[in-house]
Amino acid sequence: MDGMNPVTFNFKGDNEKTTLGFIAEEMPGSVAANDQKAISPMEIIAVLTSVVKDQREAINQLQQQIEALAG
């Protein structure tokens, strides 16, 4: 996740449409193609799903700690 930095850019020859995305060469190897020239959308979804699950678990643990302290 740390290496995934969203950017806005225009494709060459299309200065009118701004696109939100990632620079393939800057992405971690776990989500980039072998040649670092493309990004695998399914890999990004898997990484983000895992991160969201981890964050949800951390939030639940913190809520339990708050409830115990407020007890």
Side-chain angles (χ1 to χ4, degrees), residues 46-64:
V47 168
L48 294 177
T49 300
S50 176
V51 169
V52 168
K53 284 183 167 187
D54 291 345
Q55 288 179 341
R56 185 181 327 148
E57 180 62 30
I59 290 168
N60 288 340
Q61 290 176 358
L62 291 170
Q63 285 176 331
Q64 290 174 356

Side-chain angles (χ1 to χ4, degrees), residues 1 5 7 10 12-13 16-18 21 32-33 36-37 40 49-50 52 59 61 63 66 69 71:
M1 282 294 299
N5 299 308
V7 296
N10 299 87
K12 292 179 182 177
E16 306 236 346
K17 182 181 177 190
T18 301
Q36 292 289 109
K37 301 235 184 249
S40 172
T49 300
S50 176
V52 168
I59 290 168
Q61 290 176 358
Q63 285 176 331
I66 290 169
L69 291 171

